[in-house]
Amino acid sequence: MAHPSNNGNYTCKAAANFRSHSFIKESQTVVVERLSLTASTCMLTCEVKTLLYNVGLWILPANTVPSGTSVTLQCQVTVSHDNTAHLSHTFQLRRDEVLIYSITTTEDKVTFELNPSRAADSGSYECQVTVKEKSQKSHSQKLEVTGLQTPVLNLETNTLYEGNDFKATCRAPEEKGSLVFRFLRRYRNEEPQTMKTVPATGNSSETTLVLGQAGDYSLYCEYDITLVSGTRRSNHSNEEHVIVKVLTIKPVMNVLPSSNVYEGDLVEVVCRVEGAVKDVHIYLTKNKRILNETSSSILRHVFRAQEGDSGELVCKTEWRNVQKQNYYPFTLFSKPRLVLEPLELFEGDRMTLTCTVTVYVPERISQGTLQYTVYKNNVKITPSQSYITMAHPSNNGNYTCKAAANFRSHSFIKESQTVVVEAKVMLSKPVLSVVNGTLILGKPFQLHCHSDNGTLPIKYTLQGPKGFVGFVMVTRPEQKAIFNCPPIYKSSDLNKFICHANNSPQRPVEFGLVSQLFQTTKIIEPVSQPVLTIHPHMGDASEGQDLTLNCSVQSGTPPITFSWYHTERGALTTQTSKKLEQSFHIRNIKESHKGGYYCRSDNDASHTKQSNTVTVKVRWAGWKKGLVAFFCILLVLVLIIVVAFRKRLLAVTVTVCAEKMECYSAVITLSTVAPRELPALIG
């Protein structure tokens, strides 16, 4: 209890032993003083810090062992503490930074066994120990388990028919980890081939295999295991010998009454299976359509041959997932075929439509007895085998032909396929034009190449002064052949652009005309640098005179805009001219008009250029100069008179008397006598 008698200075000491050494350490001083009369409880705790000196990890019997060896991992910690008997240690064992074992114990050493060890146990191990919220790790130790268990292959059967499937199982009972099994086969002396790759379920894999060709095979399996250090592959398993028998279910096919079938004949088709295999299914098909089927060993089908029955009869047998088939082709009086020549037809070309029958029986139907009729849009146009005319929009349309024949009491009329005749329109001369109709020399521009007539698609190709520019394939009516062209600097270069147009590989190329380009194009030449000249010459003028500022350019397309500027007063005026020069007049110039002048020129090319600056000096007017001269002369005369007058006033006559009473007269210029000497001379 807190009490005045318990006040004072408190300390604590901690003692520990490690190996042959003893340690005693003292804490800081804690002053205890009761601050109030209320009774309270005071508790002093002496806390001793825990010291983790070392965590060690050992792999026994060695770091590299063969597969199947019993491996022990031992982790030990060295701790300094005042009460080691009750100290709790948390051990965590990791392989490749993945936790595989954890335990909390008062022991300072733990062991972990891998019995037996496998390749999946290979990796980098480390041990981490935590004591009183303090942790320390051991140095990493690498374990390498060499070798893999040889897999075992089991087959559902070793004798089967071609095309039959069977189950196969590959196992590695004692392996662990991520396994992927592969099933392989060897046929006679060929190289082994992989049949299937299957991920494992645990340490085995079961799958279904198929051998489609009869013969003797050797089957085996192997597996891969994926580790952090890489992928390892096992040895081959045991080889299983497999015999694949020929499946004798190929059908025998007979067509009665004979091999020659004609329209109107009654036809009987017989399909049968020769062999001892049971549960065989038989199908009769023509043009992928099933005519009949049966589960017995014989199939019979009777039909009367009609138009459209020409083709290939197929007798197909099926047992489980194995199929065999036989074919019987037969042809009747074929449908006529209408042929157009030439295939690529242009307006004005000579076109020929010919109706032919490629398959018929001379014994029953002779070529001479066949009757042909050609139709356009279902309207009869000629009772002959051929139709010749000129290609023209009026002759465009859908053409067919019919062939009629008689045999005994049967009449046959068959119609050909439809031939669409649409004559192409020949190309007109392509025309070049500048997009937007304006070309500025020295700037990129666009050219449009266009033929007024011609069937699409049309290929336009543009050549320029420096060769090939590009090509555009126009496939839709709204599409345009626009070419991006580099700048030209002379109007004459426009004549060097040529457009080619073509809509048929069999037709010559049409060349575009460029003469009309100058008629339809506004060519603008940017202005050159302007030159500013001053009148009067050299910019030396007198007040009251007129000053002329003439701004001119050597080249440029009118109209040209000229602007004049004063370096201090800014813009003066702007004028537009259809000539290459323009003047600005300043009347009755004054002193304020002196200074620097320059001009700028521009036209529709929007490329403004500026002249050099010219300095103008303004002299006084003549009357001002005379007046100044008069006043200067007058001032000089006045000064001369004043000076002369002053000299005469300052001259006096002085009489000097000597000591012998003799007097002398003399003229003394006061300017030559100092003031202090004058009384002596007079006295």
Side-chain angles (χ1 to χ4, degrees):
M1 295 292 291
H3 191 271
S5 61
N6 292 327
N7 293 349
N9 299 329
Y10 288 83
T11 60
C12 72
K13 293 182 179 180
N17 295 317
F18 176 65
R19 297 178 181 173
S20 59
H21 300 282
S22 298
F23 304 96
I24 300 177
K25 293 189 178 182
E26 187 174 4
S27 71
Q28 81 282 8
T29 300
V30 177
V31 179
V32 176
E33 184 175 359
R34 185 167 178 262
L35 300 179
S36 66
L37 297 176
T38 304
S40 60
T41 301
C42 179
M43 182 175 65
L44 297 176
T45 302
C46 183
E47 181 180 355
V48 180
K49 296 182 178 179
T50 304
L51 302 177
L52 276 72
Y53 284 97
N54 184 38
V55 177
L57 177 64
W58 295 269
I59 297 178
L60 303 174
N63 288 73
T64 302
V65 296
S67 180
T69 304
S70 178
V71 176
T72 301
L73 283 78
Q74 181 176 304
C75 183
Q76 185 171 6
V77 62
T78 303
V79 181
S80 175
H81 195 273
D82 63 332
N83 189 9
T84 56
H86 302 287
L87 197 62
S88 176
H89 312 83
T90 299
F91 292 85
Q92 291 182 327
L93 192 63
R94 288 179 171 84
R95 178 179 63 237
D96 297 324
E97 300 183 357
V98 178
L99 182 66
I100 60 172
Y101 180 68
S102 179
I103 188 173
T104 300
T105 178
T106 57
E107 300 293 332
D108 63 353
K109 180 175 67 175
V110 296
T111 59
F112 180 73
E113 291 189 358
L114 301 171
N115 187 20
S117 62
R118 297 298 178 191
D121 296 320
S122 299
S124 295
Y125 289 82
E126 65 177 12
C127 180
Q128 180 177 338
V129 180
T130 303
V131 179
K132 288 188 175 292
E133 299 182 355
K134 291 188 176 182
S135 297
Q136 189 166 334
K137 294 181 180 180
S138 68
H139 292 296
S140 179
Q141 295 286 340
K142 187 175 182 180
L143 174 62
E144 181 76 16
V145 181
T146 61
L148 291 172
Q149 182 187 8
T150 300
V152 178
L153 176 65
N154 293 322
L155 302 180
E156 180 184 15
T157 179
N158 292 75
T159 303
L160 61 150
Y161 287 106
E162 55 181 329
N164 271 9
D165 55 17
F166 59 97
K167 292 183 180 180
T169 304
C170 190
R171 298 181 296 109
E174 298 180 359
E175 285 295 343
K176 54 187 175 181
S178 178
L179 306 181
V180 177
F181 287 90
R182 293 194 305 154
F183 295 85
L184 301 97
R185 68 173 175 85
R186 183 186 296 109
Y187 180 68
R188 295 179 180 176
N189 296 325
E190 296 178 357
E191 290 293 324
Q193 295 182 359
T194 300
M195 300 179 66
K196 191 177 287 188
T197 300
V198 184
T201 302
N203 51 17
S204 66
S205 179
E206 181 180 291
T207 187
T208 300
L209 303 177
V210 177
L211 295 171
Q213 185 178 356
D216 294 345
Y217 293 85
S218 292
L219 272 62
Y220 62 91
C221 68
E222 59 188 18
Y223 64 89
D224 294 337
I225 182 170
T226 302
L227 306 175
V228 174
S229 59
T231 301
R232 299 185 190 178
R233 178 163 294 176
S234 70
N235 294 327
H236 295 172
S237 70
N238 55 299
E239 291 196 8
E240 291 288 334
H241 184 65
V242 178
I243 299 175
V244 179
K245 299 179 181 179
V246 177
L247 186 61
T248 56
I249 61 169
K250 185 173 182 179
V252 178
M253 191 173 184
N254 299 104
V255 178
L256 301 174
S258 65
S259 59
N260 296 322
V261 178
Y262 306 100
E263 293 183 58
D265 289 349
L266 191 64
V267 181
E268 181 181 8
V269 181
V270 178
C271 291
R272 66 178 185 276
V273 179
E274 294 182 349
V277 181
K278 297 181 180 180
D279 301 327
V280 178
H281 206 87
I282 304 175
Y283 299 90
L284 179 64
T285 65
K286 186 176 75 69
N287 299 331
K288 298 181 180 180
R289 183 172 64 89
I290 297 177
L291 302 178
N292 204 345
E293 62 178 298
T294 183
S295 298
S296 62
S297 59
I298 298 178
L299 180 146
R300 287 186 173 84
H301 182 70
V302 179
F303 66 97
R304 185 173 297 278
Q306 298 177 358
E307 178 184 355
D309 284 341
S310 297
E312 190 173 59
L313 290 172
V314 179
C315 186
K316 181 183 296 185
T317 56
E318 183 179 73
W319 181 72
R320 296 183 182 177
N321 61 340
V322 181
Q323 293 182 351
K324 298 288 181 80
Q325 52 193 8
N326 204 346
Y327 305 90
Y328 180 82
F330 72 98
T331 55
L332 306 175
F333 165 43
S334 66
K335 294 176 64 174
R337 181 169 177 263
L338 186 61
V339 178
L340 171 66
E341 293 181 348
L343 293 177
E344 190 174 49
L345 188 65
F346 283 84
E347 292 181 1
D349 289 349
R350 178 188 174 94
M351 64 177 252
T352 302
L353 288 165
T354 304
C355 187
T356 59
V357 174
T358 57
V359 179
Y360 63 94
V361 183
E363 297 83 12
R364 297 192 176 190
I365 303 173
S366 65
Q367 182 69 27
T369 61
L370 289 173
Q371 296 178 357
Y372 297 95
T373 307
V374 179
Y375 295 82
K376 175 190 173 185
N377 299 330
N378 297 323
V379 177
K380 179 179 177 181
I381 57 175
T382 179
S384 62
Q385 189 174 3
S386 298
Y387 176 66
I388 302 174
T389 187
M390 297 295 292
H392 188 269
S394 61
N395 292 326
N396 292 344
N398 298 327
Y399 288 81
T400 58
C401 73
K402 292 182 180 180
N406 296 314
F407 174 69
R408 296 178 181 174
S409 58
H410 299 284
S411 296
F412 308 100
I413 299 177
K414 294 188 177 181
E415 188 174 9
S416 71
Q417 84 286 3
T418 300
V419 174
V420 179
V421 174
E422 186 175 358
K424 292 184 176 181
V425 179
M426 295 185 64
L427 279 174
S428 60
K429 293 285 184 183
V431 177
L432 273 173
S433 60
V434 175
V435 177
N436 297 328
T438 301
L439 186 150
I440 300 175
L441 296 180
K443 291 187 178 181
F445 62 100
Q446 291 183 319
L447 281 177
H448 175 214
C449 189
H450 173 68
S451 292
D452 291 332
N453 297 318
T455 301
L456 299 177
I458 302 174
K459 181 180 180 181
Y460 294 95
T461 305
L462 184 67
Q463 299 285 339
K466 296 183 179 180
F468 176 76
V469 176
F471 75 89
V472 176
M473 184 68 74
V474 176
T475 58
R476 304 183 308 275
E478 69 275 8
Q479 188 180 359
K480 294 183 179 181
I482 304 293
F483 297 91
N484 295 317
C485 302
I488 60 174
Y489 299 91
K490 297 183 296 183
S491 300
S492 58
D493 286 345
L494 202 57
N495 281 325
K496 299 177 182 179
F497 286 92
I498 301 175
C499 178
H500 304 163
N502 183 259
N503 65 347
S504 171
Q506 313 300 327
R507 296 279 172 166
V509 175
E510 294 291 341
F511 292 89
L513 302 175
V514 296
S515 58
Q516 80 285 356
L517 268 177
F518 290 96
Q519 302 172 4
T520 60
T521 304
K522 179 182 179 182
I523 300 176
I524 300 175
E525 181 181 7
V527 295
S528 60
Q529 184 177 4
V531 176
L532 180 64
T533 56
I534 304 292
H535 300 285
H537 189 59
M538 300 300 292
D540 191 5
S542 299
E543 288 182 324
Q545 288 185 322
D546 293 339
L547 184 67
T548 300
L549 306 176
N550 185 66
C551 191
S552 62
V553 293
Q554 293 294 323
S555 60
T557 302
I560 300 175
T561 300
F562 295 95
S563 301
W564 288 266
Y565 298 84
H566 190 275
T567 54
E568 295 180 0
R569 297 162 60 188
L572 300 176
T573 186
T574 298
Q575 298 179 18
T576 300
S577 174
K578 295 183 179 181
K579 299 179 180 180
L580 296 180
E581 63 178 351
Q582 186 67 18
S583 297
F584 170 56
H585 303 282
I586 301 177
R587 307 294 182 184
N588 191 20
I589 63 172
K590 301 176 182 179
E591 177 72 13
S592 59
H593 289 126
K594 69 179 181 179
Y597 289 85
Y598 62 91
C599 70
R600 291 176 179 172
S601 60
D602 193 8
N603 61 0
D604 290 340
S606 300
H607 191 68
T608 304
K609 292 187 178 180
Q610 180 175 316
S611 71
N612 293 327
T613 301
V614 177
T615 302
V616 174
K617 298 178 181 179
V618 179
R619 293 176 287 128
W620 282 357
W623 65 271
K624 286 186 178 181
K625 292 179 181 180
L627 184 61
V628 171
F630 172 76
F631 278 109
C632 288
I633 294 172
L634 183 62
L635 180 61
V636 170
L637 292 175
V638 171
L639 290 175
I640 292 173
I641 294 171
V642 171
V643 171
F645 182 73
R646 287 184 64 185
K647 284 184 178 181
R648 296 184 66 180
L649 289 178
L650 293 175
V652 296
T653 301
V654 180
T655 301
V656 180
C657 295
E659 293 180 355
K660 295 181 178 182
M661 300 301 293
E662 293 179 359
C663 298
Y664 300 89
S665 295
V667 178
I668 300 173
T669 302
L670 294 179
S671 60
T672 62
V673 181
R676 65 177 176 271
E677 296 176 351
L678 186 58
L681 292 175
I682 298 175

